[in-house]
Amino acid sequence: LTKDALVEMPYFNCNFPIGQCFKVVNDGCHVLGTGAYHVGVEVNGVEYAFGANNIIGMSGIFTCVPGESPGYEYRESLDFGKVHTTKRTWIRIPKSGTGASFKTISAALGGTVGSEEKIVDQKSSPINSKNASSKDKHLYSYREIESFADGHAMIHSMAREYMGTDYDLLRKNCCTFARNVCIRLGVKEEDIPRWFHNAAQAGADAEDAITSVEYSVRNMLDCAEGIDPL
């Protein structure tokens, strides 16, 4: 919240300075290593963040000028330095003697043939894929390569993962988004401080514990109702 944020209190005919009060409380929490924050990630001069909306099918990821996210008071920046983001993909290379042209091979090596490029894992590996026909295996060989990835493109690919209607104050918020982006861009997990997201994590853990206790109590009561008295 901004420092000048106010809440109108018609009954008392005044405005409550919630922005100033929230800042004082958060300053104290920050000293203790926690707090409630809005967090964004700056990549090559553009700040990315995640917020809620009520439009079905619309991503909650938005951009702004670094340090000027609307409705929030800037506190500080954490500089992770220059990070080299890489991606691992499979490329399909025509085998010798198949009549493939140099242009085809160059396109495969350059990754310009989108249908031939897949993210590497056990399921998507074309070598292990059930969809790879025997003809493809005969005409092409597959090679795993590692190349540099554009940071902006990496975040844009997350748009469908972070829809505005999926926003959750405790489990899927701007803090969890920022942490996920940093890890995908290549920042080491141990280098990411916990103080900006541990409050939400603690709230999620508390909610899980309460739900578990409630579920257990309900089961006990249901079992007790089903027992015939002697």
Side-chain angles (χ1 to χ4, degrees):
L1 294 174
T2 57
K3 290 186 294 185
D4 56 351
L6 302 173
V7 173
E8 186 176 354
M9 304 179 69
Y11 183 80
F12 297 98
N13 194 26
C14 67
N15 294 322
F16 180 74
I18 188 173
Q20 295 180 12
C21 293
F22 185 82
K23 185 179 185 307
V24 170
V25 172
N26 228 26
D27 286 344
C29 291
H30 186 66
V31 173
L32 299 176
T34 187
Y37 307 96
H38 170 73
V39 182
V41 179
E42 181 183 345
V43 178
N44 298 333
V46 179
E47 180 177 321
Y48 293 87
F50 175 58
N53 64 56
N54 58 2
I55 303 176
I56 298 176
M58 182 177 180
S59 178
I61 299 176
F62 63 93
T63 62
C64 65
V65 176
E68 297 184 15
S69 187
Y72 297 97
E73 189 77 18
Y74 173 78
R75 175 180 287 271
E76 64 177 292
S77 295
L78 302 175
D79 189 0
F80 294 112
K82 292 184 178 180
V83 178
H84 298 294
T85 305
T86 60
K87 62 178 179 179
R88 306 186 72 182
T89 55
W90 286 97
I91 60 172
R92 190 173 71 170
I93 304 175
K95 292 183 178 179
S96 60
T98 60
S101 66
F102 176 77
K103 181 179 180 181
T104 304
I105 298 175
S106 299
L109 289 173
T112 58
V113 184
S115 61
E116 296 175 354
E117 184 176 288
K118 296 182 180 180
I119 297 175
V120 175
D121 58 32
Q122 280 294 92
K123 295 181 180 179
S124 66
S125 169
I127 297 177
N128 301 324
S129 174
K130 295 180 180 179
N131 297 326
S133 66
S134 58
K135 181 180 178 181
D136 283 348
K137 293 180 180 178
H138 176 71
L139 296 177
Y140 300 94
S141 61
Y142 294 89
R143 179 179 298 175
E144 177 188 349
I145 64 170
E146 186 174 66
S147 58
F148 289 107
D150 178 69
H152 297 297
M154 179 76 72
I155 299 176
H156 289 173
S157 69
M158 300 171 63
R160 292 188 177 275
E161 296 179 48
Y162 286 87
M163 307 303 288
T165 51
D166 293 336
Y167 185 92
D168 186 286
L169 188 61
L170 298 179
R171 304 175 190 280
K172 198 170 187 178
N173 51 51
C174 61
C175 298
T176 58
F177 167 76
R179 181 176 180 276
N180 192 8
V181 168
C182 288
I183 292 174
R184 294 198 190 189
L185 290 177
V187 178
K188 295 180 180 179
E189 191 170 356
E190 58 268 23
D191 292 339
I192 303 174
R194 292 180 50 83
W195 57 261
F196 71 82
H197 64 86
N198 57 11
Q201 182 62 52
D205 292 341
E207 185 180 55
D208 289 341
I210 293 172
T211 301
S212 178
V213 171
E214 182 183 10
Y215 180 77
S216 300
V217 172
R218 286 182 179 274
N219 279 345
M220 291 174 59
L221 293 176
D222 290 342
C223 291
E225 289 178 358
I227 299 176
D228 296 329
L230 297 177

